[in-house]
Amino acid sequence: MNRLLIIGPPGAGKGTQAVRIAEKLNIPAISTGDIFRKNIKEETELGKEAKRYIDSGNLVPDSVTNNMVRARLAEEDAANGFLLDGYPRNVAQVQELDSILEDMGVEIGRVLLLVADNDELVQRLLNRAAEQGRSDDNEEVIRHRLKVYEEETAPLVALYTERGIVKEINGLGDIDEVTERILDALK
Ligand code: AMP
């Protein structure tokens, strides 16, 4: 039960909740978006490769993302569990994750699906744009990211539902309240 995914549209609060839940469970929160942003800041090759996709709100190619995740999950701190935030994001990445986990001899225990309605999402992302100045938080790119989520990532929910491991969580309300809902869902 300590190998977890958190899935949800941009703005649902995945990053915030992932950090809190991971801390509580004493496992690393692994955010592919954060890893990309760190690489962009440090101007690494990976960062240069990823930047144009991120700035336009598109997915970074699987060839780049999958290798990055495989390497991260092989690190020592992930041996006893992890919470993946922002990966997998399309069906091909689900297959890759299945293969990575098979090689590690482990399985996903739960998929946390964080939901909120679209107007709320856009509003939160616009607020975050004002606070954090993320390069992909302007209205046009936000709408595109929501569309990419609907088209590429939302279909994953059915896939994991078939495996019987999805818990849907209402992402509305204050941060502590949502954290409590998630912890309840993990009991
Ligand atoms: P996030 O911080 O999860 O909202 O991710 C920000 C951006 O990073 C996304 O809009 C994508 O461009 C890129 N990204 C993050 N995770 C992935 C992934 N699993 N596959 C492809 N691109 C990703």
Side-chain angles (χ1 to χ4, degrees):
M1 198 51 98
N2 50 359
R3 293 182 179 85
L4 309 169
L5 308 183
I6 187 161
I7 297 184
K14 294 187 300 294
T16 305
Q17 294 299 335
V19 169
R20 298 174 136 232
I21 298 300
E23 193 170 312
K24 199 96 185 165
L25 301 178
N26 208 13
I27 53 176
I30 299 175
S31 154
T32 43
D34 281 352
I35 300 175
F36 284 132
R37 280 185 290 275
K38 183 163 182 277
N39 276 277
I40 290 172
K41 207 168 144 204
E42 293 171 356
E43 298 181 353
T44 66
E45 279 309 309
L46 179 75
K48 282 178 204 159
E49 173 103 31
K51 184 170 168 39
R52 61 196 163 109
Y53 298 100
I54 292 180
D55 285 352
S56 60
N58 288 306
L59 297 185
V60 177
D62 291 345
S63 55
V64 176
T65 309
N66 287 339
N67 288 332
M68 183 177 94
V69 171
R70 190 179 274 274
R72 180 62 187 88
L73 288 178
E75 284 178 36
E76 214 177 293
D77 66 338
N80 292 317
F82 51 79
L83 198 176
L84 267 177
D85 158 21
Y87 184 93
R89 245 176 162 101
N90 60 28
V91 173
Q93 292 182 7
V94 172
Q95 287 160 355
E96 177 67 14
L97 181 60
D98 284 344
S99 140
I100 296 172
L101 297 182
E102 198 183 323
D103 291 346
M104 292 171 74
V106 300
E107 283 184 346
I108 295 297
R110 277 263 188 285
V111 174
L112 304 164
L113 174 66
L114 202 55
V115 297
D117 69 64
N118 252 34
D119 288 345
E120 171 77 16
L121 297 172
V122 174
Q123 200 47 54
R124 285 190 190 181
L125 289 165
L126 288 172
N127 291 345
R128 185 172 77 186
E131 285 161 15
Q132 297 179 6
R134 245 176 75 164
S135 60
D136 58 349
D137 276 346
N138 64 72
E139 185 151 4
E140 191 191 338
V141 176
I142 287 170
R143 295 210 182 272
H144 184 64
R145 282 158 58 212
L146 287 166
K147 186 163 162 265
V148 169
Y149 176 81
E150 282 309 321
E151 289 176 359
E152 305 217 33
T153 310
L156 272 46
V157 175
L159 230 148
Y160 284 117
T161 300
E162 271 174 33
R163 301 187 191 181
I165 54 176
V166 174
K167 286 275 182 181
E168 184 173 317
I169 292 128
N170 174 6
L172 291 184
D174 71 45
I175 293 177
D176 286 336
E177 211 175 304
V178 177
T179 305
E180 280 308 313
R181 284 180 204 143
I182 297 175
L183 291 172
D184 276 347
L186 290 173
K187 275 178 191 154

